[in-house]
Amino acid sequence: MIEKDIVVRLKEGVHARPAATLVKGLSQFQSDVTFLVKGKNINAKSILGLMSVAIRENEEIKVKVNGTDEMETFQYIENYLQG
């Protein structure tokens, strides 16, 4: 399991379009992905979950990745959220 904090650098944060892009990208990975945002555990492969917490630019979130391809999954998330 990988568990790290990431600061979101997307200029508009994670609103509808970036959330959809992230979920679509994560669908290629087998690992489970959870974001801890504002005290809530969110399934990062769920567009509704991501949009429900309104992640903003420069907000720090905890990312938890668990599975067979967790390193590749985490790299994808980190690259995407940090632009």
Side-chain angles (χ1 to χ4, degrees):
M1 176 193 271
I2 297 173
E3 185 174 321
K4 292 187 181 180
D5 294 333
I6 293 179
V7 176
V8 176
R9 299 290 183 205
L10 295 173
K11 186 174 181 176
E12 301 295 325
V14 183
H15 58 83
R17 187 172 293 142
T21 302
L22 180 59
V23 169
K24 184 177 180 181
L26 287 175
S27 70
Q28 67 185 325
F29 299 104
Q30 298 297 314
S31 294
D32 294 323
V33 182
T34 304
F35 290 174
L36 179 60
V37 184
K38 301 172 187 163
K40 297 179 181 178
N41 281 310
I42 303 298
N43 177 357
K45 292 185 174 185
S46 165
I47 190 165
L48 294 177
L50 287 175
M51 291 178 59
S52 73
V53 291
I55 301 169
R56 299 177 190 273
E57 179 184 19
N58 296 320
E59 187 168 354
E60 184 173 88
I61 65 172
K62 183 173 293 296
V63 177
K64 297 178 187 179
V65 183
N66 189 25
T68 57
D69 56 357
E70 60 193 27
M71 187 57 109
E72 295 86 355
T73 306
F74 181 80
Q75 281 300 127
Y76 174 81
I77 295 165
E78 187 172 45
N79 290 339
Y80 185 77
L81 293 179
Q82 295 190 332

Coordinates of all heavy atoms in Angstrom, one line a residue:
M1 N 0.8 -1.2 0.0 CA 0.0 0.0 0.0 C 0.9 1.2 0.0 O 1.9 1.3 0.7 CB -0.9 0.0 1.2 CG -1.7 1.3 1.3 SD -2.6 1.6 2.8 CE -4.1 0.8 2.5
I2 N 0.5 2.2 -0.8 CA 1.2 3.5 -0.9 C 0.2 4.5 -0.2 O -1.0 4.5 -0.6 CB 1.5 3.9 -2.3 CG1 2.5 2.9 -2.9 CG2 2.1 5.3 -2.3 CD1 2.8 3.2 -4.4
E3 N 0.7 5.3 0.7 CA -0.1 6.4 1.3 C 0.8 7.6 1.4 O 1.7 7.6 2.1 CB -0.5 5.9 2.7 CG -1.5 6.8 3.4 CD -2.0 6.3 4.7 OE1 -2.3 5.0 4.7 OE2 -2.1 7.0 5.6
K4 N 0.4 8.7 0.6 CA 1.2 9.9 0.6 C 0.2 11.1 0.5 O -0.9 11.0 -0.1 CB 2.1 9.9 -0.6 CG 3.3 8.9 -0.5 CD 4.2 9.1 -1.6 CE 5.4 8.1 -1.5 NZ 6.3 8.2 -2.6
D5 N 0.8 12.2 0.9 CA 0.0 13.5 0.7 C 0.5 14.1 -0.6 O 1.7 14.1 -0.9 CB 0.3 14.5 1.9 CG -0.2 14.0 3.2 OD1 -1.2 13.2 3.2 OD2 0.4 14.4 4.3
I6 N -0.5 14.7 -1.3 CA -0.2 15.4 -2.5 C -0.9 16.8 -2.5 O -2.1 16.8 -2.0 CB -0.8 14.6 -3.7 CG1 0.0 13.3 -3.9 CG2 -0.7 15.4 -5.0 CD1 -0.5 12.5 -5.1
V7 N -0.2 17.8 -3.0 CA -0.9 19.1 -3.1 C -1.4 19.2 -4.6 O -0.6 19.0 -5.5 CB 0.1 20.2 -2.8 CG1 -0.5 21.6 -3.1 CG2 0.6 20.1 -1.4
V8 N -2.7 19.5 -4.7 CA -3.3 19.6 -6.0 C -2.9 20.9 -6.7 O -3.1 21.9 -6.1 CB -4.8 19.5 -5.9 CG1 -5.5 19.7 -7.3 CG2 -5.2 18.2 -5.3
R9 N -2.3 20.8 -7.9 CA -1.8 22.0 -8.6 C -2.7 22.3 -9.8 O -2.3 23.3 -10.5 CB -0.4 21.8 -9.0 CG 0.6 21.5 -7.9 CD 0.8 22.8 -7.1 NE 1.8 22.5 -6.0 CZ 1.9 23.2 -4.9 NH1 1.0 24.2 -4.7 NH2 2.8 22.9 -4.0
L10 N -3.7 21.6 -10.0 CA -4.6 21.9 -11.1 C -5.2 23.3 -10.9 O -5.8 23.6 -9.8 CB -5.7 20.9 -11.3 CG -5.3 19.5 -11.6 CD1 -6.5 18.6 -11.6 CD2 -4.7 19.5 -13.0
K11 N -5.1 24.2 -11.9 CA -5.5 25.6 -11.7 C -7.0 25.7 -11.3 O -7.3 26.6 -10.4 CB -5.3 26.4 -13.0 CG -5.6 27.8 -12.9 CD -5.2 28.6 -14.1 CE -5.5 30.1 -13.9 NZ -5.1 30.9 -15.0
E12 N -7.9 24.9 -11.8 CA -9.3 25.0 -11.5 C -9.7 24.0 -10.4 O -10.9 23.9 -10.1 CB -10.1 24.8 -12.7 CG -9.9 25.8 -13.8 CD -10.3 27.2 -13.4 OE1 -11.3 27.4 -12.7 OE2 -9.6 28.2 -13.9
G13 N -8.7 23.3 -9.9 CA -9.1 22.2 -8.9 C -9.7 21.0 -9.6 O -9.5 20.9 -10.8
V14 N -10.3 20.2 -8.9 CA -10.9 19.0 -9.5 C -12.4 19.2 -9.6 O -13.2 18.8 -8.7 CB -10.6 17.7 -8.7 CG1 -11.1 16.5 -9.3 CG2 -9.1 17.6 -8.5
H15 N -12.9 19.9 -10.6 CA -14.3 20.0 -10.9 C -14.7 19.0 -11.9 O -14.0 18.0 -12.1 CB -14.6 21.5 -11.4 CG -13.8 21.9 -12.6 ND1 -14.2 21.6 -13.9 CD2 -12.7 22.5 -12.7 CE1 -13.4 22.0 -14.7 NE2 -12.4 22.6 -14.1
A16 N -15.8 19.1 -12.6 CA -16.4 18.1 -13.4 C -15.4 17.5 -14.5 O -15.2 16.3 -14.6 CB -17.7 18.6 -14.1
R17 N -14.9 18.4 -15.3 CA -14.0 17.9 -16.4 C -12.7 17.2 -15.9 O -12.4 16.1 -16.3 CB -13.7 19.0 -17.4 CG -12.9 18.4 -18.6 CD -12.8 19.5 -19.7 NE -14.1 19.8 -20.2 CZ -14.4 21.1 -20.6 NH1 -13.6 22.1 -20.5 NH2 -15.7 21.3 -21.1
P18 N -12.0 17.8 -15.0 CA -10.8 17.1 -14.5 C -11.1 15.8 -13.7 O -10.4 14.8 -13.8 CB -10.1 18.1 -13.5 CG -10.6 19.4 -14.0 CD -12.0 19.2 -14.5
A19 N -12.3 15.8 -13.0 CA -12.7 14.6 -12.3 C -13.0 13.5 -13.3 O -12.6 12.4 -13.1 CB -13.9 14.9 -11.4
A20 N -13.7 13.8 -14.4 CA -14.0 12.8 -15.4 C -12.7 12.3 -16.0 O -12.6 11.1 -16.2 CB -14.9 13.4 -16.4
T21 N -11.8 13.2 -16.3 CA -10.5 12.7 -16.9 C -9.7 11.8 -16.0 O -9.2 10.8 -16.4 CB -9.7 13.9 -17.3 OG1 -10.4 14.8 -18.2 CG2 -8.4 13.5 -18.0
L22 N -9.7 12.2 -14.7 CA -9.0 11.4 -13.7 C -9.6 10.0 -13.6 O -8.9 9.0 -13.6 CB -9.0 12.1 -12.3 CG -8.3 11.4 -11.2 CD1 -6.8 11.1 -11.5 CD2 -8.4 12.2 -9.9
V23 N -10.9 10.0 -13.4 CA -11.6 8.7 -13.3 C -11.4 7.8 -14.5 O -11.1 6.6 -14.4 CB -13.1 8.9 -13.0 CG1 -13.9 7.6 -13.2 CG2 -13.4 9.5 -11.7
K24 N -11.5 8.4 -15.7 CA -11.2 7.6 -16.9 C -9.8 7.1 -16.9 O -9.6 5.9 -17.3 CB -11.5 8.5 -18.1 CG -11.3 7.8 -19.5 CD -11.7 8.7 -20.6 CE -11.5 7.9 -21.9 NZ -11.8 8.8 -23.1
G25 N -8.9 7.9 -16.6 CA -7.5 7.4 -16.5 C -7.2 6.3 -15.5 O -6.5 5.4 -15.8
L26 N -7.9 6.5 -14.3 CA -7.7 5.4 -13.3 C -8.4 4.1 -13.6 O -8.0 3.1 -13.1 CB -8.3 6.0 -12.0 CG -7.5 7.1 -11.3 CD1 -8.2 7.6 -10.1 CD2 -6.1 6.5 -10.9
S27 N -9.3 4.1 -14.6 CA -10.0 2.9 -14.9 C -9.0 1.9 -15.6 O -9.4 0.7 -15.7 CB -11.2 3.2 -15.9 OG -10.7 3.6 -17.2
Q28 N -7.9 2.3 -16.1 CA -6.9 1.4 -16.7 C -6.1 0.7 -15.7 O -5.3 -0.2 -16.0 CB -6.0 2.2 -17.7 CG -5.1 3.2 -17.0 CD -4.3 4.0 -17.9 OE1 -3.9 3.5 -19.0 NE2 -4.1 5.3 -17.6
F29 N -6.2 1.0 -14.4 CA -5.4 0.4 -13.3 C -6.3 -0.5 -12.5 O -7.5 -0.3 -12.3 CB -4.8 1.5 -12.5 CG -3.8 2.4 -13.2 CD1 -4.2 3.7 -13.5 CD2 -2.6 2.0 -13.6 CE1 -3.4 4.5 -14.2 CE2 -1.7 2.8 -14.2 CZ -2.1 4.1 -14.6
Q30 N -5.7 -1.5 -11.9 CA -6.4 -2.5 -11.1 C -6.5 -2.1 -9.6 O -7.4 -2.5 -8.9 CB -5.7 -3.8 -11.1 CG -5.6 -4.5 -12.5 CD -7.0 -4.8 -13.0 OE1 -7.8 -5.3 -12.3 NE2 -7.3 -4.4 -14.3
S31 N -5.5 -1.2 -9.2 CA -5.5 -0.9 -7.8 C -6.7 -0.1 -7.3 O -7.3 0.7 -8.1 CB -4.2 0.0 -7.5 OG -3.0 -0.8 -7.7
D32 N -7.0 -0.2 -6.0 CA -8.0 0.6 -5.4 C -7.4 1.9 -5.0 O -6.2 2.0 -4.5 CB -8.5 -0.1 -4.1 CG -9.3 -1.4 -4.4 OD1 -10.0 -1.4 -5.5 OD2 -9.2 -2.3 -3.6
V33 N -8.1 3.0 -5.2 CA -7.6 4.3 -4.9 C -8.6 5.1 -4.0 O -9.8 5.2 -4.3 CB -7.4 5.2 -6.2 CG1 -6.8 6.5 -5.8 CG2 -6.5 4.4 -7.1
T34 N -8.1 5.6 -2.9 CA -8.9 6.4 -2.0 C -8.2 7.7 -1.7 O -7.0 7.7 -1.5 CB -9.1 5.6 -0.6 OG1 -9.6 4.4 -0.9 CG2 -10.0 6.4 0.3
F35 N -9.0 8.8 -1.7 CA -8.5 10.1 -1.4 C -9.1 10.5 0.0 O -10.3 10.3 0.2 CB -8.9 11.2 -2.4 CG -8.3 11.1 -3.7 CD1 -8.7 12.0 -4.7 CD2 -7.2 10.2 -4.0 CE1 -8.1 11.9 -6.0 CE2 -6.6 10.2 -5.2 CZ -7.1 11.1 -6.2
L36 N -8.3 11.0 0.9 CA -8.8 11.5 2.1 C -8.8 13.0 2.0 O -7.8 13.7 1.9 CB -8.0 11.1 3.3 CG -8.4 11.6 4.7 CD1 -9.8 11.2 5.1 CD2 -7.4 11.3 5.8
V37 N -10.1 13.6 1.9 CA -10.3 15.0 1.6 C -11.3 15.5 2.6 O -12.4 15.0 2.7 CB -10.8 15.2 0.2 CG1 -10.9 16.7 -0.1 CG2 -10.0 14.5 -0.8
K38 N -10.9 16.6 3.3 CA -11.8 17.2 4.3 C -12.4 16.3 5.3 O -13.6 16.3 5.6 CB -12.8 18.0 3.5 CG -12.3 19.1 2.6 CD -13.3 19.7 1.7 CE -12.6 20.6 0.7 NZ -13.4 21.0 -0.4
G39 N -11.6 15.3 5.7 CA -12.1 14.3 6.7 C -12.9 13.2 6.1 O -13.5 12.4 6.8
K40 N -13.1 13.1 4.8 CA -13.9 12.1 4.1 C -13.0 11.2 3.3 O -12.1 11.7 2.5 CB -15.0 12.7 3.2 CG -16.0 13.6 4.0 CD -17.0 14.2 3.0 CE -18.0 15.0 3.7 NZ -18.9 15.6 2.8
N41 N -13.3 9.9 3.3 CA -12.6 8.9 2.4 C -13.5 8.8 1.2 O -14.6 8.5 1.2 CB -12.5 7.6 3.1 CG -11.4 7.5 4.1 OD1 -10.2 7.9 3.8 ND2 -11.6 7.1 5.3
I42 N -12.8 9.1 0.0 CA -13.5 9.1 -1.3 C -12.9 8.1 -2.2 O -11.7 8.1 -2.3 CB -13.4 10.5 -1.9 CG1 -13.9 11.6 -1.0 CG2 -14.1 10.6 -3.3 CD1 -15.4 11.5 -0.6
N43 N -13.7 7.3 -2.9 CA -13.3 6.4 -3.9 C -12.9 7.3 -5.1 O -13.7 7.9 -5.7 CB -14.4 5.4 -4.3 CG -14.0 4.5 -5.4 OD1 -12.9 4.6 -6.0 ND2 -14.8 3.6 -5.8
A44 N -11.6 7.3 -5.4 CA -11.1 8.2 -6.5 C -11.5 7.7 -7.9 O -11.3 8.4 -8.9 CB -9.6 8.3 -6.4
K45 N -12.1 6.5 -8.0 CA -12.6 6.0 -9.3 C -14.1 6.3 -9.4 O -14.7 5.8 -10.4 CB -12.3 4.5 -9.4 CG -10.8 4.2 -9.5 CD -10.6 2.7 -9.7 CE -9.1 2.4 -9.9 NZ -8.9 1.0 -10.3
S46 N -14.6 7.2 -8.6 CA -16.0 7.6 -8.6 C -16.1 9.1 -8.9 O -15.7 9.9 -8.1 CB -16.7 7.3 -7.3 OG -17.9 8.0 -7.2
I47 N -16.6 9.4 -10.1 CA -16.8 10.9 -10.4 C -17.6 11.6 -9.4 O -17.4 12.7 -9.0 CB -17.2 11.1 -11.9 CG1 -17.1 12.5 -12.2 CG2 -18.6 10.5 -12.1 CD1 -17.2 12.8 -13.7
L48 N -18.7 11.0 -9.0 CA -19.6 11.6 -8.0 C -18.9 11.8 -6.7 O -19.1 12.9 -6.0 CB -20.9 10.8 -7.8 CG -21.8 10.7 -9.0 CD1 -23.0 9.8 -8.7 CD2 -22.3 12.1 -9.4
G49 N -18.1 10.9 -6.3 CA -17.3 11.0 -5.0 C -16.4 12.2 -5.1 O -16.3 13.0 -4.2
L50 N -15.6 12.2 -6.2 CA -14.7 13.3 -6.4 C -15.3 14.7 -6.4 O -14.9 15.6 -5.8 CB -13.9 13.1 -7.7 CG -12.8 12.0 -7.7 CD1 -12.2 11.9 -9.1 CD2 -11.7 12.3 -6.7
M51 N -16.4 14.8 -7.1 CA -17.1 16.1 -7.2 C -17.8 16.5 -5.9 O -17.9 17.7 -5.6 CB -18.1 16.0 -8.3 CG -17.4 16.0 -9.7 SD -18.6 15.9 -11.1 CE -19.5 17.4 -10.9
S52 N -18.1 15.5 -5.1 CA -18.8 15.8 -3.8 C -17.9 16.6 -2.8 O -18.4 17.2 -1.9 CB -19.3 14.5 -3.2 OG -18.3 13.8 -2.6
V53 N -16.6 16.5 -2.9 CA -15.7 17.1 -2.0 C -15.0 18.4 -2.6 O -14.3 19.1 -1.8 CB -14.6 16.2 -1.5 CG1 -15.2 15.1 -0.6 CG2 -13.8 15.6 -2.6
A54 N -15.3 18.7 -3.8 CA -14.8 20.0 -4.4 C -13.3 20.3 -4.1 O -13.0 21.2 -3.4 CB -15.7 21.1 -4.0
I55 N -12.4 19.4 -4.6 CA -11.0 19.6 -4.3 C -10.5 20.9 -5.1 O -10.7 21.0 -6.3 CB -10.2 18.4 -4.8 CG1 -10.7 17.2 -4.0 CG2 -8.7 18.7 -4.5 CD1 -10.1 15.9 -4.6
R56 N -9.9 21.8 -4.3 CA -9.4 23.1 -4.9 C -7.9 23.1 -5.2 O -7.2 22.3 -4.6 CB -9.8 24.2 -4.0 CG -11.2 24.3 -3.7 CD -11.5 25.4 -2.7 NE -12.8 25.4 -2.2 CZ -13.8 26.1 -2.8 NH1 -13.6 26.7 -4.0 NH2 -15.1 26.0 -2.3
E57 N -7.5 24.0 -6.0 CA -6.1 24.2 -6.3 C -5.4 24.5 -5.0 O -5.9 25.2 -4.1 CB -5.9 25.4 -7.2 CG -4.4 25.7 -7.6 CD -4.2 26.9 -8.4 OE1 -5.1 27.8 -8.5 OE2 -3.1 27.0 -9.0
N58 N -4.2 23.9 -4.8 CA -3.3 24.1 -3.6 C -3.8 23.4 -2.4 O -3.3 23.6 -1.3 CB -3.0 25.6 -3.3 CG -2.2 26.2 -4.5 OD1 -1.3 25.6 -5.0 ND2 -2.5 27.4 -4.8
E59 N -4.9 22.6 -2.5 CA -5.4 21.8 -1.4 C -4.5 20.5 -1.3 O -4.2 19.9 -2.2 CB -6.8 21.5 -1.6 CG -7.5 20.8 -0.4 CD -9.0 20.7 -0.5 OE1 -9.6 21.3 -1.5 OE2 -9.6 20.1 0.3
E60 N -4.2 20.2 0.0 CA -3.5 18.9 0.2 C -4.4 17.8 0.5 O -5.4 18.0 1.3 CB -2.5 19.1 1.4 CG -1.6 17.9 1.6 CD -0.6 18.2 2.7 OE1 -0.9 17.9 3.9 OE2 0.5 18.6 2.4
I61 N -4.2 16.7 -0.2 CA -5.1 15.5 0.0 C -4.2 14.3 0.3 O -3.0 14.3 -0.1 CB -6.0 15.2 -1.2 CG1 -5.1 14.9 -2.4 CG2 -6.9 16.4 -1.5 CD1 -6.0 14.4 -3.6
K62 N -4.7 13.3 1.0 CA -4.0 12.1 1.2 C -4.4 11.1 0.2 O -5.7 10.9 0.0 CB -4.2 11.6 2.7 CG -3.4 10.3 3.0 CD -3.5 9.9 4.4 CE -2.9 10.8 5.4 NZ -1.4 11.0 5.3
V63 N -3.5 10.5 -0.5 CA -3.8 9.5 -1.5 C -3.4 8.1 -1.0 O -2.2 7.9 -0.5 CB -3.1 9.8 -2.8 CG1 -3.3 8.7 -3.9 CG2 -3.5 11.2 -3.3
K64 N -4.3 7.1 -1.0 CA -4.0 5.8 -0.6 C -4.3 4.9 -1.9 O -5.3 4.9 -2.4 CB -4.9 5.3 0.5 CG -4.8 6.1 1.8 CD -5.8 5.6 2.8 CE -5.7 6.5 4.0 NZ -6.7 6.0 5.0
V65 N -3.2 4.1 -2.2 CA -3.3 3.2 -3.4 C -2.9 1.8 -2.9 O -1.9 1.6 -2.3 CB -2.4 3.7 -4.5 CG1 -2.6 2.8 -5.7 CG2 -2.7 5.1 -4.9
N66 N -3.8 0.8 -3.2 CA -3.5 -0.5 -2.8 C -3.9 -1.5 -3.9 O -5.0 -1.5 -4.4 CB -4.3 -0.9 -1.6 CG -4.0 -2.2 -1.0 OD1 -2.8 -2.7 -1.1 ND2 -4.9 -2.8 -0.2
G67 N -2.9 -2.3 -4.4 CA -3.2 -3.3 -5.4 C -1.9 -3.7 -6.1 O -0.8 -3.3 -5.8
T68 N -2.1 -4.5 -7.2 CA -1.0 -5.1 -7.9 C -0.2 -4.1 -8.7 O 1.0 -4.3 -8.9 CB -1.5 -6.2 -8.9 OG1 -2.4 -5.6 -9.7 CG2 -2.1 -7.3 -8.1
D69 N -0.8 -3.0 -9.1 CA -0.1 -2.0 -9.9 C -0.1 -0.6 -9.2 O -0.2 0.4 -9.8 CB -0.7 -1.8 -11.3 CG -2.2 -1.5 -11.3 OD1 -2.8 -1.4 -10.2 OD2 -2.8 -1.3 -12.4
E70 N 0.1 -0.7 -7.9 CA 0.0 0.6 -7.1 C 1.0 1.6 -7.4 O 0.7 2.8 -7.4 CB 0.0 0.2 -5.6 CG 1.2 -0.4 -5.1 CD 1.0 -1.0 -3.7 OE1 -0.1 -1.3 -3.2 OE2 2.0 -1.1 -3.0
M71 N 2.2 1.2 -7.7 CA 3.2 2.3 -8.0 C 2.9 3.0 -9.3 O 3.0 4.2 -9.4 CB 4.6 1.6 -8.2 CG 5.7 2.6 -8.3 SD 5.7 3.8 -7.0 CE 7.2 3.3 -6.1
E72 N 2.5 2.3 -10.4 CA 2.1 2.9 -11.6 C 0.8 3.8 -11.4 O 0.7 4.9 -12.0 CB 1.8 1.9 -12.7 CG 3.0 1.1 -13.1 CD 3.2 -0.1 -12.2 OE1 2.5 -0.3 -11.2 OE2 4.2 -0.9 -12.5
T73 N -0.1 3.3 -10.6 CA -1.3 4.1 -10.3 C -1.0 5.3 -9.6 O -1.5 6.4 -9.9 CB -2.3 3.2 -9.5 OG1 -2.5 2.0 -10.1 CG2 -3.6 3.9 -9.3
F74 N -0.2 5.3 -8.6 CA 0.2 6.5 -7.8 C 0.9 7.5 -8.7 O 0.7 8.7 -8.6 CB 1.1 6.1 -6.6 CG 1.4 7.3 -5.8 CD1 0.5 7.9 -4.9 CD2 2.6 8.0 -6.0 CE1 0.8 9.0 -4.2 CE2 2.9 9.1 -5.3 CZ 2.0 9.7 -4.4
Q75 N 1.8 7.0 -9.5 CA 2.5 7.9 -10.5 C 1.6 8.6 -11.4 O 1.7 9.8 -11.6 CB 3.6 7.1 -11.3 CG 4.8 6.8 -10.6 CD 5.6 8.1 -10.1 OE1 5.9 8.2 -8.9 NE2 5.8 9.0 -10.9
Y76 N 0.6 7.9 -11.9 CA -0.4 8.6 -12.7 C -1.2 9.7 -12.0 O -1.3 10.8 -12.5 CB -1.4 7.5 -13.2 CG -2.6 8.2 -14.0 CD1 -2.4 8.5 -15.3 CD2 -3.8 8.4 -13.4 CE1 -3.4 9.2 -16.0 CE2 -4.8 9.0 -14.1 CZ -4.6 9.4 -15.4 OH -5.6 10.0 -16.1
I77 N -1.6 9.4 -10.7 CA -2.3 10.3 -9.9 C -1.5 11.6 -9.6 O -1.9 12.7 -9.8 CB -2.8 9.7 -8.6 CG1 -3.8 8.6 -8.9 CG2 -3.4 10.7 -7.7 CD1 -4.1 7.7 -7.7
E78 N -0.2 11.3 -9.2 CA 0.7 12.4 -8.9 C 0.9 13.3 -10.1 O 0.8 14.5 -10.0 CB 2.0 11.8 -8.3 CG 2.9 12.9 -7.8 CD 4.1 12.3 -7.1 OE1 4.7 11.3 -7.7 OE2 4.5 12.8 -6.0
N79 N 1.2 12.7 -11.2 CA 1.5 13.5 -12.4 C 0.2 14.3 -12.8 O 0.3 15.4 -13.3 CB 1.9 12.6 -13.6 CG 3.3 12.0 -13.4 OD1 4.1 12.5 -12.6 ND2 3.5 10.9 -14.1
Y80 N -0.9 13.7 -12.7 CA -2.2 14.4 -13.1 C -2.5 15.5 -12.2 O -2.8 16.6 -12.7 CB -3.3 13.4 -13.2 CG -4.6 14.0 -13.7 CD1 -4.7 14.3 -15.1 CD2 -5.6 14.5 -12.9 CE1 -5.8 14.9 -15.6 CE2 -6.7 15.1 -13.4 CZ -6.8 15.4 -14.7 OH -7.9 16.0 -15.2
L81 N -2.5 15.3 -10.9 CA -2.9 16.3 -10.0 C -1.9 17.4 -9.8 O -2.2 18.5 -9.4 CB -3.2 15.7 -8.6 CG -4.4 14.8 -8.6 CD1 -4.6 14.2 -7.2 CD2 -5.7 15.5 -9.0
Q82 N -0.6 17.2 -10.2 CA 0.4 18.2 -10.0 C 0.7 18.9 -11.3 O 1.6 19.7 -11.4 CB 1.6 17.6 -9.4 CG 1.3 17.2 -7.9 CD 2.6 16.9 -7.1 OE1 3.6 16.4 -7.7 NE2 2.5 17.1 -5.8
G83 N 0.0 18.5 -12.4 CA 0.1 19.2 -13.7 C 1.4 19.0 -14.3 O 2.1 19.6 -14.8

